Amino acid sequence: MKLTKLLLSAVPAALAACGTSIESTDTSLTTGIRPPAVPLVTVDPYFSVWSGSDRLNESATHHWTGTEQPLTGAVRVDGTTYRILGVENPELETILPTIALEPWTARYVMDRKPAGDWTAPDYDDASWLTGPGAFGSPEMPRIGTDWQGDGRDIWVRRTFEIDRDLSAEDLILEYSHDDVFELYVNGIQVADTGNTWESYIRKPLPADAAATLKAGKVTIAAHCHNTVGGAYVDFGLFRRIPREEFGLAAEQKSVSVLPTRTVYTFLCGGVEVEAIFTAPLLMDDLALLSRPVNYLTWQVRAVDGARHDVQLYLEATPQLAVDDLSQAVVSEAGSSDGVEFLRTGTVDQKILGKKGDNVRIDWGYFYLATPAGKGQLALAGYYDTKDAFTATGTLPQGQPSIRTDNMLKEPVALAYANDLGKVGDKSVCDYVMLGYDDIYSIQYFGQNLRPYWNRTGQNSITRELKSAADNYNPTLKRCEEFDRQLMQATEEAGGRKYAELCALAYRQSIAAHKLVESPDGELLWFSKENFSNGSIGTVDVTYPSAPLFLLYNPELVKGLLNHIFFYSESGRWTKPFAAHDVGTYPLANGQTYGGDMPVEECGNMLILTAALASVEGNADYAKKHWEVLTTWKDYLLEYGLDPENQLCTDDFAGHFAHNANLSIKAIMGIASYGMLAEMLSMPEEAEKAYASAREMAAKWKEMAADGDHYRLTFDKPGTWSQKYNLVWDKLLGLEIFDPSIARTELDYYLTIQNPYGLPLDNRRTYTKTDWIMWTATLSDRPGEFELFIDPIYRFMNETTDRVPMSDWVYTDTPRQVGFQARSVVGGYFIKLLEGKLDKWRNQ
């Protein structure tokens, strides 16, 4: 590989010729939903960039966790720059530093609620402790004082002097918190987050608080309540240094989220610009699926009958390759294998050195790349690249390498520009590639595994980038065709709103996984429990996610199950039921979740193995694991009908006994074993399992009956819950339960729906949107499925929580309870899976 300074001269004629080899992509397929957040780059749990705004150019892009990972883009038309992507980071003067900039200390108390008005500037905090910030649990960045949330609450006060009047200045707050956070400036509340985690949030200081910032003493006070898991508090105050904004905000005409593409349309003067983000996640091609490369395509044409000079600009920053902004990075320019690139990564490169939930990758390298000879790449100062492009349509002289010890103090840009020359009414196209080489992806029982695309260690990221460039046109065509087919199939199965929800779910579900190969050559398709606890390979996350992968590649379903079978069959897991997980992402070295889910996970594994056999038309996979499947079936026979006090997949609701829906899962697990035995020509085993399941189902009906519906728990009349596990009786054609049960439940559910969905059960107004999809699939009445789907669509269209789709939401208000960007939305595809299994049974 050659590292070099890259700055290529813009030659419009040559670039126009280059553009003719880039075929335009069909963007006629559109969607109408306003997504909670829009997928831009979706590769895996670490390389995942989203927009949380209605307009792509009104906020910074961010990782699914909410931490900013800025991409900034613009189009220059006849000398005027129009910003289409992201926003420019403001140039700031530090008034009160966050820990990413400088050490700080504060007064704090965490063992009791302070008496009196602890937010007031004149409050006497002399009895409080003094300690260094930030405050939080050990896994959080740059902790000065240990606060693990043991007392659940912490109060922090920072008092300081300012030597001038700042009341008329443009002031910016920055804060990071985990979880519920409130912030006050001189006693005036300026933040109240509710139950969410956020990192490096910047917002203007409200005018009433800013008016108090005269010369003299200032007090900023915070309270944070930790609900569960990690804990964190960090905050600071800054003054925005005036400078001309980068470009005019282009007029956004539309955005459509399709299964593999997001398409934005902008008007920039007399030019229409389509910005197309493509993630070629086609599951019939594992080499393509695992390639850590996405495309950003521009399609530009004049719409006013004139011809216009057009230049393109795209920029990334080293924030894409760090967990914490204080980490030192090295950025480099280079060329290899016919590809020119800019790359950035941390200096330390602690590969697989970090695990957890609210974290981002800080090893490996982010790449901004283009085929050799196309456009310009430059590594330069953050503001220098934008100033040069605004003035000339080109980039400044770049550097071959830049080390940055603190990117907040020394911001760097990795920039691309291209001169498209004169553009008329015929579309001119260009693209760049966004890639990430994580070097090693997963640790599997002590052994570090490379990503699937480089599983032998003989490949390189530049070869993958070259392959992505060489196959750009056919890959985009394949994505177009797949998007059309999926949208048509889902609309036929469940209506237009269902189709648009599935389109939004597709990339999110896939990108919550990582594909590797085990030392024995088996596929491992590892999920990460995004914002639920960070576990890897969780069985009760696999269970709701599986319909998507059962539809499009059964080998990936095996990849979801292989590690759990191995865990038991290797003797590492010795309990007579299935494990919950195999670790905390990305370290798959054994279960780390604090509680078992015996009935839940046994039922999940048996049902999914049967579903796999259904789509493959054989039970060969089950035969390989028959001994452990038998152990789990026996466990369900003994303990499954009336489960003891234990967790189920809805563990956020807590332990409870006699769970009627969990009992259904156990019964379906036993029936699934019977189906597998039947497929393996084991008639006696099959009949025993079927008979036991039918006997248990008859008892279930008696135990759960509660008039016009069935109970949440067998021992509590007047309760109810969604019986979503019944769906497998229908999909697998097992006929274990009386079909009147599903009909009775559906009729009852329609009487208790809320504006944003059907609650999970009678205890709370919250729900799980994936389970609503499963419940709705129980219906055979025309139009009834849509009655359950419409409220989910309304929620996603109206929610004020601008995060990648949450599956745990309230039904009486458009707010998430928790969870986001999780793979379980793959469960939305269960209605489409029903059609596939119907065809299998009728063959």
Side-chain angles (χ1 to χ4, degrees):
M1 180 175 69
K2 177 184 177 185
L3 291 176
T4 184
K5 187 186 306 179
L6 289 179
L7 185 62
L8 307 177
S9 298
V11 183
L15 292 172
C18 202
T20 60
S21 66
I22 304 171
E23 298 174 7
S24 62
T25 183
D26 183 0
T27 58
S28 60
L29 191 62
T30 61
T31 60
I33 194 171
R34 184 232 64 177
V38 181
L40 305 178
V41 178
T42 46
V43 172
D44 59 32
Y46 284 140
F47 191 29
S48 182
V49 183
W50 298 70
S51 171
S53 303
D54 288 343
R55 291 179 293 279
L56 184 60
N57 55 11
E58 67 180 359
S59 68
T61 60
H62 53 79
H63 187 258
W64 66 259
T65 57
T67 296
E68 286 189 8
Q69 292 189 330
L71 297 173
T72 308
V75 178
R76 190 171 181 268
V77 179
D78 299 329
T80 299
T81 299
Y82 298 87
R83 182 170 36 82
I84 64 172
L85 168 60
V87 294
E88 182 182 51
N89 285 338
E91 194 170 359
L92 301 176
E93 174 194 355
T94 301
I95 307 301
L96 189 68
T98 60
I99 196 62
L101 281 169
E102 298 173 20
W104 57 269
T105 60
R107 297 276 197 174
Y108 71 96
V109 61
M110 63 176 73
D111 59 343
R112 66 192 183 282
K113 182 177 181 179
D117 184 5
W118 56 273
T119 72
D122 58 356
Y123 180 82
D124 183 4
D125 58 16
S127 64
W128 290 26
L129 298 172
T130 299
F135 296 81
S137 46
E139 72 277 10
M140 296 300 190
R142 302 192 67 181
I143 295 301
T145 299
D146 187 19
W147 171 54
Q148 299 195 40
D150 294 338
R152 292 292 186 187
D153 292 88
I154 190 169
W155 291 261
V156 180
R157 284 172 54 91
R158 298 177 70 181
T159 299
F160 58 102
E161 296 281 336
I162 54 176
D163 60 6
R164 65 192 192 277
D165 186 344
L166 297 176
S167 60
E169 298 287 349
D170 188 354
L171 300 175
I172 304 292
L173 283 170
E174 182 177 298
Y175 52 84
S176 302
H177 63 95
D178 187 352
D179 301 285
V180 186
F181 184 69
E182 53 183 322
L183 189 68
Y184 299 81
V185 173
N186 286 336
I188 298 172
Q189 188 173 65
V190 294
D192 183 10
T193 67
N195 185 18
T196 186
W197 308 345
E198 297 174 303
S199 299
Y200 302 109
I201 295 299
R202 286 179 177 171
K203 58 181 291 187
L205 183 66
D208 55 347
T212 70
L213 267 66
K214 310 290 186 179
K217 188 175 78 169
V218 177
T219 298
I220 302 184
H223 165 235
C224 192
H225 171 71
N226 180 47
T227 58
V228 67
Y232 197 62
V233 171
D234 182 27
F235 55 89
L237 181 65
F238 303 86
R239 181 183 76 90
R240 185 193 295 265
I241 298 172
R243 64 172 269 115
E244 187 175 345
E245 186 176 5
F246 177 50
L248 304 173
E251 180 186 355
Q252 182 176 306
K253 306 296 289 186
S254 65
V255 56
S256 292
V257 177
L258 304 169
T260 66
R261 295 174 295 156
T262 295
V263 181
Y264 285 94
T265 305
F266 297 92
L267 190 62
C268 303
V271 168
E272 180 185 86
V273 179
E274 290 181 316
I276 305 159
F277 296 85
T278 302
L281 299 175
L282 303 178
M283 285 183 272
D284 61 348
D285 185 341
L286 295 184
L288 184 60
L289 179 75
S290 67
R291 178 183 292 154
V293 179
N294 279 193
Y295 304 101
L296 169 55
T297 300
W298 296 270
Q299 295 189 160
V300 184
R301 67 184 183 96
V303 291
D304 62 355
R307 293 179 64 79
H308 300 275
D309 287 311
V310 178
Q311 296 87 37
L312 306 175
Y313 177 88
L314 179 71
E315 162 201 292
T317 77
Q319 285 173 248
L320 284 153
V322 300
D323 178 43
D324 176 60
L325 289 175
S326 64
Q327 291 179 286
V329 295
V330 171
S331 304
E332 302 169 304
S335 62
S336 182
D337 297 311
V339 171
E340 291 164 350
F341 61 82
L342 303 172
R343 76 173 191 178
T344 187
T346 57
V347 171
D348 288 344
Q349 287 295 307
K350 296 178 180 178
I351 295 174
L352 295 171
K354 187 169 291 185
K355 65 177 181 178
D357 199 353
N358 188 13
V359 296
R360 289 136 301 274
I361 194 168
D362 58 5
W363 66 88
Y365 296 90
F366 164 77
Y367 283 75
L368 174 61
T370 183
K374 183 179 74 66
Q376 305 171 273
L377 289 169
L379 178 63
Y382 179 80
Y383 299 105
D384 296 339
T385 55
K386 287 177 280 293
D387 289 346
F389 181 79
T390 299
T392 67
T394 61
L395 299 178
Q397 185 76 8
Q399 299 298 315
S401 178
I402 300 176
R403 173 174 169 139
T404 309
D405 290 319
N406 189 314
M407 68 183 73
L408 291 176
K409 295 180 179 179
E410 309 164 87
V412 171
L414 290 71
Y416 170 84
N418 198 354
D419 188 346
L420 301 185
K422 290 286 187 181
V423 174
D425 58 5
K426 183 178 180 180
S427 286
V428 178
C429 306
D430 190 29
Y431 74 93
V432 293
M433 297 172 288
L434 305 166
Y436 205 103
D437 181 8
D438 59 5
I439 304 173
Y440 285 94
S441 303
I442 301 292
Q443 187 175 97
Y444 187 57
F445 294 103
Q447 184 166 341
N448 291 351
L449 303 181
R450 295 182 183 274
Y452 183 82
W453 64 268
N454 191 25
R455 56 196 178 278
T456 66
Q458 302 302 306
N459 203 351
S460 71
I461 187 64
T462 51
R463 289 179 197 156
E464 285 297 295
L465 289 164
K466 181 62 163 62
S467 180
D470 289 346
N471 291 284
Y472 170 83
N473 289 331
T475 298
L476 268 286
K477 293 298 181 187
R478 289 173 65 185
C479 289
E480 286 175 28
E481 182 59 26
F482 178 80
D483 288 351
R484 280 193 294 271
Q485 291 174 355
L486 191 151
M487 294 298 289
Q488 180 180 347
T490 47
E491 185 168 0
E492 290 174 355
R496 182 65 186 182
K497 291 178 180 178
Y498 175 64
E500 293 193 8
L501 288 169
C502 286
L504 191 55
Y506 184 83
R507 273 175 284 167
Q508 175 173 315
S509 185
I510 295 172
H513 295 82
K514 188 69 177 182
L515 187 64
V516 295
E517 189 175 81
S518 78
D520 295 330
E522 289 191 321
L523 281 183
L524 299 172
W525 183 226
F526 279 121
S527 64
K528 180 179 187 291
E529 277 207 59
N530 290 343
F531 266 23
S532 51
N533 69 12
S535 290
I536 185 171
T538 302
V539 177
D540 58 281
V541 167
T542 290
Y543 178 65
S545 305
L548 175 60
F549 307 111
L550 286 163
L551 269 167
Y552 290 109
N553 192 339
E555 293 303 313
L556 290 174
V557 180
K558 296 172 187 175
L560 290 167
L561 304 179
N562 282 334
H563 59 280
I564 297 296
F565 281 119
F566 173 78
Y567 196 15
S568 284
E569 292 165 349
S570 67
R572 291 172 169 85
W573 178 260
T574 59
K575 298 179 182 180
F577 48 81
H580 169 271
D581 62 80
V582 288
T584 300
Y585 196 94
L587 307 183
N589 296 321
Q591 180 171 311
T592 52
Y593 187 68
D596 294 327
M597 299 184 189
V599 172
E600 172 73 37
E601 311 303 20
C602 287
N604 290 339
M605 291 297 293
L606 283 157
I607 291 168
L608 291 179
T609 304
L612 176 66
S614 295
V615 298
E616 288 199 310
N618 66 74
D620 294 347
Y621 184 77
K623 186 176 182 180
K624 289 171 52 180
H625 304 293
W626 195 247
E627 183 177 346
V628 73
L629 287 169
T630 301
T631 298
W632 295 339
K633 176 265 299 180
D634 290 342
Y635 186 91
L636 294 180
L637 282 170
E638 185 171 357
Y639 300 105
L641 176 59
D642 189 5
E644 61 187 6
N645 189 40
Q646 62 181 259
L647 292 171
C648 69
T649 186
D650 305 317
D651 53 355
F652 49 82
H655 290 74
F656 63 103
H658 318 299
N659 182 337
N661 187 49
L662 184 58
S663 176
I664 293 173
K665 180 169 288 184
I667 296 166
M668 293 313 305
I670 294 164
S672 294
Y673 182 89
M675 182 188 119
L676 293 167
E678 184 177 19
M679 294 178 74
L680 291 171
S681 300
M682 303 166 66
E684 292 184 7
E685 287 295 319
E687 185 50 42
K688 285 180 185 177
Y690 282 144
S692 295
R694 292 190 182 101
E695 180 183 356
M696 293 167 75
K699 290 180 181 178
W700 185 97
K701 184 178 179 182
E702 295 177 4
M703 295 162 63
D706 201 40
D708 62 352
H709 66 277
Y710 293 86
R711 300 176 183 179
L712 166 68
T713 62
F714 296 129
D715 60 331
K716 292 182 180 178
T719 61
W720 57 268
S721 65
Q722 289 190 48
K723 308 303 190 299
Y724 54 81
N725 287 316
L726 270 177
V727 74
W728 293 106
D729 200 21
K730 180 184 183 186
L731 266 60
L732 298 178
L734 296 172
E735 300 181 352
I736 300 298
F737 283 86
D738 183 340
S740 69
I741 294 173
R743 183 68 262 156
T744 298
E745 289 289 272
L746 289 168
D747 289 342
Y748 183 74
Y749 297 153
L750 289 172
T751 70
I752 54 174
Q753 280 204 112
N754 284 328
Y756 297 104
L758 174 66
L760 187 64
D761 57 52
N762 60 273
R763 293 172 296 172
R764 301 284 192 277
T765 60
Y766 61 55
T767 194
K768 290 280 272 83
T769 58
D770 46 339
W771 297 147
I772 293 177
M773 292 283 187
W774 291 35
T775 294
T777 302
L778 289 169
S779 176
D780 283 325
R781 289 184 179 173
E784 190 172 57
F785 177 83
E786 289 89 334
L787 295 178
F788 290 99
I789 302 313
D790 286 357
I792 302 176
Y793 186 93
R794 181 183 179 190
F795 178 92
M796 298 303 172
N797 207 47
E798 297 180 9
T799 179
T800 55
D801 296 312
R802 307 308 300 272
V803 300
M805 276 201 299
S806 174
D807 54 287
W808 184 23
V809 304
Y810 292 107
T811 61
D812 54 352
T813 183
R815 298 298 306 271
Q816 71 175 131
V817 185
F819 306 163
Q820 63 200 48
R822 298 212 308 164
S823 67
V824 300
V825 295
Y828 285 19
F829 288 81
I830 197 160
K831 182 66 175 175
L832 201 56
L833 178 65
E834 178 188 20
K836 181 172 183 175
L837 292 177
D838 282 345
K839 291 179 182 177
W840 173 77
R841 287 199 306 273
N842 293 326
Q843 286 178 350

